Every structure is written in structure tokens, then in C-alpha cells.
Amino acid sequence: MKKPAYRLKPFEVISLGLEIKNKDKWGSNPKYYLNSQQEHELLKLRNLHNSEFKEVKRTLNKDGEVITKVEKLTSKELIEIPSNHQIKRVSTNVATNQQWVITEPIKIADVEKEIDFLSIFKDKIEPIFIKHKSKNISKFDRAVFTDTHIGMDVNKDGYSLYDGLWNEDQIFLRLEIFVNEIIKNKKSNTLFLNDLADFLDGWDAETTRGGHKLPQNMDNQKAFDVALLFKIRLVDALLQHYNFIKFVNICNDNHAGSFGYIVNSAFKTYIELKYPNNIEVINQRKFIDHYIINNRCFILTHGKDNTNLKFGFKPKLDPVQIEKVKNYIDEYKLHNYKIEFSKGDSHQLLFDHTSSTAFEYQNFGAFSPPSDWIKTNFKNTLSSFTTFNYFETQKTINHFIF
């Protein structure tokens, strides 16, 4: 049987009576092949080195003097609690004075419940009231973006299959293009603005389900700052041209999850205080919800939720999906409206106007470039956003491809 190999520290080598070797070419302690007796002595030595005797019991005489003590060999230090964990409970053995500290990961949903953005922003924002006199040509305009994935690193360590860059500068450069295109295609003083989710790439570099790490170029704090500033700048720029914006942010998705909700909650509180008469922000927490404007109904979803759906709505309609959407329409009695079912998630720009007579099926392209995972598993896809102008019976569609 082959002897087990151990990397030994100098004091361990001396204690075992072995000859000290030079460190290997990487600067690591050299390996030593030990027999069973040497291995046994090494384990005893290491346990002793990492332990110390602690008093667990003492006996006093009638004068209060210590006459006997019982000590137990225990670990010198407790394991450090990870920064992303919190103490769940502490268990104590009264007989031995030993304690066990039980920890659990801090859930962002717990943080979400504790933040009162109104108390943070209230009395610090001077309200602004806007009224433009430009004439309405369309009933209302609409702009849709999705899958912004703030914080995502699309070219990890420079070894991605295809080159790419998605940092703060690129995000705000695309934001400027988005604003300019909305204004260029403006036909109304009212704008229906939709963020179909995955606005941030993940919390602690993980999706809502966890389990694997995502390549990131921002920590949570930086991603929060960039994401909040993105939406504030977006509205500040657009309200120079629109009298009213109805802004729906989907907060039930598979990447941003509660992190996305926290950003959107801060945004909603801030921007509605700043423009009390000119904007309404809805943070949609349902997987699917709908909004009626004039004679039209918009059913909005990310396409995949934060918990249940491993495989969400597909980019191409099939009979199963048609039935799901029709069930929703039946449940909420939406038959008298022109219905558009809008989703993100797939990172594909595909509109289906004819497979169903009950609704139009819209897949919106991602605002961000493709991730390294998408580029490796599929291809180097294009990014986009879409603007619309709605008239009494018709509409115009304007796709912008980056």
C-alpha cells in the first residue's frame, strides 16, 4: 500500500524526527510520505497545536477556595462567522460550559423588509412640476427594455469565446442611446415605460436560486448605485419631453429577484417625491400582471420567475403557452381589449402577431450584451430595445439593434 503524503511545516518535521527538505518550486511546504505510526503522531500533534485546555468545572471549599478543577481540551478559536451569514441561534451545554453557534446565510429578502426609503428621502427632495404644451399625435408612446444585467462580466479574465464589455461606462452609453431614440420617436406627451426584469445580474454573484457563481465586475454596493442612478437619469431625461410617465418594473425574475425590488423600491420612492404629478411607478411582484391603457391591455412578465420555473415561457409560441395565456385572459375577463403579451428572459427579439387571434406575443431582446455562458452555449447574440406609438386602431414599432 502506498504511504500517504503530507505537506509538513518545519516544526512538524522536527517533531517526527525527519530531515527537513527545501520548499518546492512554488514555495509550498514539501511533501513527506509517512508510515502509519508517523501519521498517527502527526494527527495528535496537529490536534494539540490547534487546541488548548479550558476550565469546564471547578470545586470550592467552604471558604470559597478552589480545591479541584476539570479542564477539557478544546479548539483555541471559534470558526469565524462568514460576512454573508448571521447568527441563527446559540446552544449552551450548562454541564460543560460549551456553546455551539448556528449561523445561516443572510437573505436579501430579510434586508428588503427593513429598508424604509420614504424616511430616507422625505424632506430632502424638492418637488418638480412639469407641463409641456406639445401636441399629441398618438394616444400614447411606449418603450420597453429588459435583461440589463447590471454587474455582469461578459468577458471574464479576457478569455471569453467572443470579446465584449459591459461596465458602468457602457451601461450609461446605452442609456443615452435609449433616451435619444425614445425622444426621436415621440408622438405623445404620455409614455408607458416597461422594464421586464433581470435588471441586475445577481446578488452576491448568484441568481435567485443560487447554486453557482456568476462572473461579475461589480460588488452588490456598486451594482445598487449604478442601477439606481440608471433609472433616475432615465426619468430625469424623459420628463424634459413628456408630461406623464407610467413606469412598470417587473421584480419577479430569476436573476435580480429581491435585489431588483430593493433598487426599484428606492427608485419609486425617490422619483415620485421628485415628480409628484408626472410619474407613477409600479413595482410588479407578481409573475404575470396586466395593465389597461385606453382600449389596449398589456400582460407583462419576465418569462421566468424567482422560484418555480426552471423553464419559463419560450421565445416561440406553442399550443401549451397559448393555452396558458388564454387562461389568464379568461380569468381576468380581458376579451374586449387588444392584448399584447410581453416578456423578456430569452434575450431574443421575436414578435408573433398571428399564431393566436386572442393576443400578440412579444419577446424583447436584451439591453445588455450576451453573457459568456450564452456565447459559449449558443452564439454571440445582438442586443436591442423597442419603442412604440399607439393610435386608435394601429401602432408603429421601432426596434433599435445595438
Side-chain angles (χ1 to χ4, degrees), residues 104 186 314:
E104 63 181 359
K186 177 180 179 292
K314 301 173 185 176

Side-chain angles (χ1 to χ4, degrees), residues 67-301:
I67 54 175
T68 62
K69 291 196 298 185
V70 177
E71 294 184 335
K72 186 173 182 178
L73 193 63
T74 60
S75 175
K76 285 184 178 179
E77 297 181 356
L78 290 174
I79 297 174
E80 184 179 352
I81 297 174
S83 60
N84 63 334
H85 276 233
Q86 60 188 356
I87 295 175
K88 183 178 181 181
R89 67 177 185 272
V90 177
S91 300
T92 304
N93 187 322
V94 178
T96 64
N97 284 339
Q98 289 180 294
Q99 287 189 321
W100 295 265
V101 179
I102 312 300
T103 72
E104 63 181 359
I106 297 173
K107 298 178 181 178
I108 189 167
D110 296 335
V111 180
E112 171 189 318
K113 299 173 185 176
E114 299 174 2
I115 302 176
D116 181 7
F117 287 112
L118 183 60
S119 65
I120 296 172
F121 294 131
K122 191 178 180 182
D123 303 325
K124 297 181 180 68
I125 299 172
E126 187 70 29
I128 299 173
F129 302 93
I130 295 172
K131 183 66 175 178
H132 302 292
K133 295 182 179 180
S134 56
K135 186 178 179 181
N136 286 326
I137 300 173
S138 66
K139 292 286 186 181
F140 62 95
D141 296 340
R142 185 186 180 206
V144 182
F145 68 105
T146 186
D147 293 273
T148 307
H149 289 279
I150 290 174
M152 173 178 64
D153 190 346
V154 300
N155 191 9
K156 186 67 175 173
D157 301 324
Y159 296 111
S160 176
L161 182 61
Y162 303 102
D163 289 336
L165 187 62
W166 192 234
N167 55 23
E168 184 177 1
D169 292 338
Q170 290 296 311
I171 289 167
F172 285 109
L173 178 62
R174 289 198 175 186
L175 173 62
E176 184 178 356
I177 294 170
F178 184 41
V179 169
N180 289 338
E181 285 297 310
I182 294 172
I183 295 168
K184 186 177 79 174
N185 294 304
K186 177 180 179 292
K187 294 287 190 298
S188 172
N189 284 325
T190 299
L191 176 66
F192 185 42
L193 185 57
N194 305 151
D195 171 10
L196 301 185
D198 276 5
F199 184 50
L200 297 109
D201 196 46
W203 173 261
D204 277 347
E206 289 189 342
T207 65
T208 57
R209 293 169 176 83
H212 67 278
K213 286 294 181 181
L214 301 167
Q216 305 276 275
N217 56 19
M218 300 180 193
D219 60 20
N220 296 332
Q221 293 85 345
K222 179 65 174 179
F224 177 92
D225 292 343
V226 171
L228 181 57
L229 184 59
F230 178 102
K231 291 197 169 175
I232 292 173
R233 284 188 179 179
L234 173 60
V235 170
D236 281 343
L238 291 174
L239 279 179
Q240 296 180 41
H241 302 270
Y242 286 93
N243 285 334
F244 185 76
I245 298 175
K246 187 183 184 76
F247 199 161
V248 177
N249 302 296
I250 295 180
C251 303
N252 191 336
D253 58 17
N254 57 309
H255 270 263
S258 292
F259 192 17
Y261 175 80
I262 289 172
V263 170
N264 286 318
S265 180
F267 165 69
K268 173 181 169 66
T269 304
Y270 173 88
I271 213 70
E272 288 185 341
L273 286 171
K274 186 174 183 179
Y275 302 106
N277 292 345
N278 302 99
I279 188 164
E280 176 190 6
V281 177
I282 299 172
N283 292 330
Q284 177 181 318
R285 302 185 73 172
K286 290 183 179 180
F287 173 51
I288 301 175
D289 212 339
H290 64 276
Y291 308 89
I292 294 171
I293 303 179
N294 297 340
N295 62 338
R296 296 181 181 271
C297 176
F298 301 92
I299 302 175
L300 305 185
T301 182

